[in-house]
Amino acid sequence: VDAANGGVEIACRSHLLGFVKHKRDGGFLSACIDDEQLREMHWELPSLLPGDVLLFTDLTLHRSGTNTTSRVRWSADWAFEMQDGDAICPPLRPVESTRTERGDRMQS
């Protein structure tokens, strides 16, 4: 996993900000933080090999780059999510799927 295939980047010392409010941005979460403050953060790309595991606290701001290779980058994320009313991170909504006339699933 490297910059070419969009590996995860960690904002160094971002945990010192404490809990940062988030918002839903399409299917992703975005930190409600000033763009200038994000640009000033020092971002590091950990050196990971296939099969490696990276663990970090929920206070650590992180992002993924764009996969510019022809290879698929697989990742799995596990996170505890609060119920409705969480002021820090709004909960995910279920993805609705429908079937086309051919029987294929479409997500909306």
Side-chain angles (χ1 to χ4, degrees):
V1 180
D2 57 23
N5 68 7
V8 67
E9 298 176 354
I10 303 295
C12 297
R13 304 179 60 81
S14 60
H15 65 285
L16 298 175
L17 297 171
F19 286 108
V20 174
K21 186 171 176 67
H22 284 66
K23 64 181 178 188
R24 294 286 170 196
D25 188 6
F28 300 95
L29 275 176
S30 293
C32 297
I33 195 165
D34 185 270
D35 285 342
E36 184 177 333
Q37 193 175 6
L38 280 174
R39 282 190 300 274
E40 290 175 357
M41 289 182 172
H42 175 73
W43 294 86
E44 278 201 24
L45 181 73
S47 177
L48 301 171
L49 298 173
D52 283 353
V53 174
L54 175 65
L55 301 174
F56 51 88
T57 173
D58 58 343
L59 299 178
T60 304
L61 296 179
H62 58 284
R63 63 186 181 192
S64 291
T66 302
N67 186 351
T68 60
T69 71
S70 61
R71 298 182 324 268
V72 174
R73 180 196 75 222
W74 290 98
S75 68
D77 300 11
W78 286 267
F80 176 79
E81 189 166 303
M82 301 289 284
Q83 295 183 1
D84 284 340
D86 180 5
I88 302 293
C89 179
L92 288 170
R93 300 287 176 235
V95 174
E96 295 182 26
S97 66
T98 57
R99 291 198 182 266
T100 65
E101 290 179 18
R102 292 184 356 193
D104 299 328
R105 285 187 184 249
M106 293 178 34
Q107 293 184 348
S108 58

